[in-house]
Amino acid sequence: MDNLANKIKQYRTTKGLTQAGLAEKLSISRKTVSNWENGRSFPNFSTIIQLSKVFGIKVDDLLKNDNKVIEHFNKQDKQVKRDKTILKVCYYLNIFLLTLSYIHMFKPFGFHNSLIPLSLIGNMIIFFSQYSNWKFFKKREQLNRLIVVFFLFLVLNSTTMIFNVNFQKTLIPGDAIVILGSSSGEFTLILFITISVTLAVCFRPAIND
């Protein structure tokens, strides 16, 4: 009983649990337990802690003498640290690009660069593809905050279409197609800016870690 796969099977049997019974206690599938016991995959560290409680043993009893598992968790830890670094870089880059996007929207002194909103969108895609703490928003309080922030800033940002002189200049009275096209483009920019603001307010890595 030197590796984790054998230990899980042995301790499960000792406790009189079937794979399905253990899976039910951990709120996972029976196939997942089977994969553990066959060495095809490893439980994550939080599940290791749950297993130790179910079996009534120490975490060390499950992990000791299994270099393969220890190496797996070391690699996992390094990956988590890399992901956190990427998230933080993308978070602060988002704030910078968000500021530039507001400038781009109002075009002061003729400032205009279509790469700014494209960069903002690309950065947000990277951020959300790396973000993993979605369970944070399963809490009703946090989900409600997310929704309120998004719609509040969507309304506030949308009002800029009324006061944005540079946007108004793109509208040609009586030309419905031009008006619709310009309005759609401006609102799309506003929508992405609003998502960016929501990211800045609700997804700060230090808060959600």
Side-chain angles (χ1 to χ4, degrees):
M1 197 172 66
D2 57 343
N3 61 45
L4 180 60
N6 291 335
K7 289 175 184 178
I8 292 175
K9 185 175 183 179
Q10 182 63 46
Y11 284 125
R12 174 180 63 75
T13 304
T14 301
K15 283 290 182 179
L17 292 169
T18 62
Q19 288 184 345
L22 178 59
E24 184 178 353
K25 286 181 176 293
L26 299 174
S27 300
I28 57 175
S29 68
R30 186 205 63 79
K31 185 177 180 180
T32 299
V33 175
S34 176
N35 287 338
W36 294 343
E37 294 184 358
N38 289 315
R40 287 193 290 265
S41 65
F42 301 108
N44 58 38
F45 195 73
S46 62
T47 306
I48 290 286
I49 295 174
Q50 287 181 280
L51 282 168
S52 69
K53 291 178 180 178
V54 171
F55 296 148
I57 59 175
K58 296 179 180 179
V59 171
D60 287 348
D61 293 333
L62 282 171
L63 298 181
K64 67 182 179 182
N65 300 325
D66 193 335
N67 293 330
K68 190 175 181 180
V69 174
I70 293 173
E71 183 181 350
H72 167 75
F73 281 121
N74 285 337
K75 288 181 179 179
Q76 197 175 60
D77 184 56
K78 289 179 181 178
Q79 183 62 50
V80 168
K81 288 179 179 178
R82 281 196 295 267
D83 291 345
K84 285 184 177 180
T85 299
I86 292 173
L87 276 179
K88 288 183 179 179
V89 170
C90 287
Y91 176 82
Y92 291 110
L93 183 58
N94 173 72
I95 294 175
F96 174 70
L97 291 171
L98 174 62
T99 303
L100 291 181
S101 294
Y102 272 117
I103 296 173
H104 167 84
M105 184 166 65
F106 286 99
K107 301 178 179 64
F109 311 110
F111 177 85
H112 177 76
N113 192 325
S114 59
L115 289 178
I116 293 173
L118 290 176
S119 299
L120 178 72
I121 294 168
N123 184 69
M124 288 192 294
I125 290 173
I126 294 173
F127 180 92
F128 287 121
S129 67
Q130 293 293 322
Y131 190 80
S132 60
N133 195 21
W134 295 104
K135 63 182 180 180
F136 180 76
F137 296 100
K138 288 184 178 180
K139 302 173 185 177
R140 184 178 295 274
E141 178 185 351
Q142 301 302 333
L143 181 60
N144 288 342
R145 179 170 177 260
L146 177 67
I147 294 171
V148 168
V149 168
F150 175 79
F151 283 104
L152 174 62
F153 278 97
L154 182 61
V155 171
L156 290 175
N157 287 328
S158 295
T159 60
T160 62
M161 295 175 71
I162 301 173
F163 304 106
N164 189 340
V165 176
N166 286 291
F167 166 66
Q168 297 295 333
K169 289 179 180 178
T170 66
L171 305 179
I172 301 176
D175 194 329
I177 295 178
V178 172
I179 293 175
L180 179 61
S182 295
S183 299
S184 298
E186 188 75 0
F187 184 76
T188 300
L189 175 61
I190 286 170
L191 181 61
F192 283 119
I193 285 177
T194 301
I195 295 173
S196 177
V197 173
T198 306
L199 188 161
V201 175
C202 299
F203 288 82
R204 184 153 62 92
I207 292 177
N208 299 339
D209 283 347

